[in-house]
Amino acid sequence: MPLLVVGISVLVLLLLMTRLKLNGFAALLLVAVGVALVRGIPVVDIPDVLSEGIGGQVGDTMLTIGLGAMVGRVMGDSGAAQRIAGKLLDAFGPRWVQVAMVVTSMLIGVTMFYEVAFIIIVPIAFTLVRVTGANLLWVGLPMSIALSTMHSFLPPHPGPTAVAATFHASVGHTLFYGLFIAVPAGALVALVWPRLPFVKAMNPSIPKGLVSEREFTDEEMPGMGWSLFVALFPVVLIAGAAVTDMVTSGENSFLHVVAFIGSAPITLLLTFLLAVWAFGPRIGRSLADVSASCSSAAQAMAMILLVIGAGGAFKNVLVEGGISDYIKDATESWSISPIILAWLIAVILRVALGSATVAVVTASGVVLPLLAGSGAHPEMMVLAVSCGSIAFSHVNDPGFWLFKEYFNLSVVEAIKVRTSYTTVLAVLGLGGVLAGEWALDFLNL
C-alpha cells in the first residue's frame, strides 16, 4: 500500500537521524533511493529523479535564501537589525515582543512567500533574542507561525492563487474572506504555542554565522529611516508586483518589467546592492570587508541548502512513485461535503508528499466536478484546499528543514513544534471555512 511506504520511510528517516546520528542530507538521500526502489521506479531513472528533485527545490530556494542571508548579515554587521529590534522593543516593550513579531510577520507575509519573508525577518528575531536574552523559540516561533498562515491560506501566494483559477473564484474575495480566518487563527496559535510546556522546555541557540554577535552603541548604528527603508524595500517591490498582477489583465512590456523586478531573486539582489551601498561603510573600509561578511553568511547556509535540496529529492521520489495518483483515485468516490472533502484530500496529499503545491492542485482537480451542483461558494472551496495543505509538515517537506536548521532544533524537536502547529492551523482553518460558508449562506451572499 503506497501510504504504508510513506509511513515506513518516515520512520526509517527518523531512526537514521536520531538513533544513528546520520547527517540529514545523507539520510534523506538514502531513504529517497529506498522508496524509489520499493515503488518500482527503474534503477536507471533513479539518479535523474533525485537530481530533478534537488534541482527543482534548490533552484527555487538557493537564490532567495542565499541573497536573503547576505542581506540579513549586512544588516546585522552594520547595526541596522539591532536598530530595528531596538525600536520594536521601545514600541511594544519586552513583554509584548511576541505581539510585535506577529504583527510584523502578518503585514509582511500577506504578499511575500514564507521563505522570503522568513529570511528577511529572522535577523531581527535573532537580534531581539540576543538583546533581551529570551528563548529563541519564544521570539522566533510566533514569526514562523504567522508567516506560515499568511503563505498557506491567502492569495496572492502560489497555492491559493492556483486553486482560485481552478475554481473560477475571485482572488479579491478569497483574500478578503481569508483574512477573517487567517488573522485570528494565526495570531492565536502564534501566541499560544511558545507557551506550551514541551516548547518552553526547548532552548536552542542561534546558528553560528547567520547573525552578528556584536553589540552596537547608538552612535555606531545607522538611523532608523535607512534601516527600515532597506528592510521594507523588498516588501514594497514584491507586494507591488503582486497587487499589480491582481488588478490588471492582459500583457504589455510594463507588466513584464514589474513582474521581473518583483520576483523574489531580483528583488533580493537589488536589496543586497542597496544594503551594501547604504551600510557597507559601517562594516569596513573596503568591499573586501563586506564580502567577508557575506561569505560568512553563505558558509552558514551551505548545509541548510543541501538538506533542503535532499528534501526536494525525497518529495520528488514520492510524486514519481505514483502516490498522488493513488490518493486521487481512492478519494474520488467519497460522498461527503465538498468543502470537507477538498480539505481532507489536501491534508492526505500533504502528509504523503510534503508538497503543498501538489496537494492543492490535486485536491482541487478531484473536487472540481462536485462544485457545480454543491452550492458551495468557490472562494470557500479555495480556502478549504489551501488551509488543508499546511497540515502535518514533517520530514518530506523542504520547508520543515528550513525551520529546523534556522532554529537549530533536532528532528524530533522540529516535529513536535512545526508538525503540531501546522496541523492545528489546518484544523482551525477548516472550522473557519465552514463558519464562513454558513455565514455567506445566512446572509444570502
Side-chain angles (χ1 to χ4, degrees):
M1 183 179 179
L3 293 182
L4 182 61
V5 173
V6 175
I8 292 174
S9 67
V10 171
L11 291 176
V12 171
L13 184 60
L14 291 175
L15 176 65
L16 290 175
M17 296 186 66
T18 57
R19 293 294 181 87
L20 302 182
K21 306 298 182 184
L22 190 62
N23 172 271
F25 176 72
L28 280 163
L29 288 182
L30 280 173
V31 173
V33 171
V35 172
L37 292 171
V38 171
R39 292 299 301 156
I41 297 177
V43 175
V44 69
D45 294 336
I46 291 177
D48 290 336
V49 173
L50 296 177
S51 297
E52 288 171 7
I54 293 174
Q57 191 62 49
V58 174
D60 290 340
T61 59
M62 183 176 69
L63 292 176
T64 298
I65 293 177
L67 287 168
M70 291 181 186
V71 170
R73 189 59 195 259
V74 169
M75 293 189 68
D77 286 350
S78 65
Q82 184 177 328
R83 174 69 76 184
I84 296 173
K87 288 296 181 182
L88 283 174
L89 282 177
D90 292 340
F92 288 87
R95 184 178 179 183
W96 300 99
V97 66
Q98 291 178 317
V99 175
M101 296 308 298
V102 170
V103 172
T104 302
S105 300
M106 284 190 169
L107 289 174
I108 291 177
V110 168
T111 55
M112 296 189 74
F113 288 12
Y114 172 84
E115 293 85 358
V116 181
F118 186 100
I119 60 173
I120 287 174
I121 304 175
V122 79
I124 297 172
F126 286 163
T127 304
L128 283 170
V129 169
R130 195 190 68 233
V131 171
T132 63
N135 186 302
L136 175 56
L137 292 178
W138 184 260
V139 178
L141 187 54
M143 173 201 76
S144 181
I145 292 171
L147 291 178
S148 294
T149 309
M150 296 293 108
H151 179 88
S152 299
F153 282 27
L154 304 175
H157 295 101
T161 303
V163 180
T166 300
F167 290 149
H168 302 289
S170 165
V171 173
H173 288 169
T174 303
L175 175 59
F176 179 73
Y177 298 149
L179 284 170
F180 286 97
I181 301 171
V183 172
L188 175 65
V189 177
L191 296 177
V192 168
W193 235 242
R195 290 169 167 78
L196 297 178
F198 72 89
V199 177
K200 292 176 70 174
M202 304 174 193
N203 190 23
S205 59
I206 297 173
K208 298 282 185 185
L210 291 179
V211 67
S212 172
E213 297 179 3
R214 177 184 171 188
E215 283 274 1
F216 294 87
T217 65
D218 191 69
E219 293 75 20
E220 291 174 324
M221 292 184 289
M224 183 61 180
W226 270 111
S227 300
L228 202 58
F229 178 75
V230 174
L232 293 180
F233 184 71
V235 180
V236 172
L237 292 186
I238 293 175
V243 171
T244 301
D245 183 62
M246 288 174 61
V247 302
T248 58
S249 59
E251 292 191 12
N252 57 59
S253 56
F254 171 74
L255 295 179
H256 291 162
V257 171
V258 171
F260 170 73
I261 294 176
S263 64
I266 300 302
T267 291
L268 288 172
L269 178 60
L270 294 175
T271 305
F272 172 68
L273 295 175
L274 176 63
V276 170
W277 176 77
F279 304 138
R282 293 181 178 272
I283 297 175
R285 296 183 178 180
S286 67
L287 280 176
D289 297 316
V290 180
S291 296
S293 177
C294 294
S295 296
S296 175
Q299 290 168 4
M301 290 304 304
M303 183 51 67
I304 295 176
L305 285 171
L306 283 175
V307 173
I308 291 173
F314 185 28
K315 175 190 71 178
N316 199 45
V317 164
L318 295 173
V319 174
E320 293 295 325
I323 291 173
S324 61
D325 293 334
Y326 168 81
I327 295 171
K328 180 179 179 180
D329 294 339
T331 55
E332 279 181 330
S333 59
W334 291 3
S335 299
I336 56 177
S337 161
I339 286 179
I340 297 177
L341 179 63
W343 179 87
L344 192 56
I345 295 173
V347 169
I348 295 171
L349 285 162
R350 166 71 160 178
V351 173
L353 303 176
S355 171
T357 302
V358 174
V360 296
V361 171
T362 305
S364 60
V366 172
V367 299
L368 179 60
L370 304 177
L371 179 60
S374 68
H377 293 80
E379 290 79 14
M380 289 300 162
M381 292 288 289
V382 173
L383 293 171
V385 173
S386 299
C387 68
S389 71
I390 193 178
F392 292 100
S393 170
H394 64 100
V395 294
N396 60 1
D397 173 20
F400 171 90
W401 298 102
L402 178 71
F403 176 88
K404 172 196 173 298
E405 297 296 327
Y406 261 96
F407 289 128
N408 213 7
L409 300 169
S410 69
V411 177
V412 173
E413 289 174 332
I415 288 175
K416 288 180 179 179
V417 178
R418 181 170 167 88
T419 306
S420 61
Y421 90 65
T422 54
T423 304
V424 170
L425 281 175
V427 173
L428 290 176
L430 175 61
V433 170
L434 292 173
E437 179 71 12
W438 176 86
L440 292 177
D441 287 338
F442 180 78
L443 297 172
N444 198 26
L445 295 177

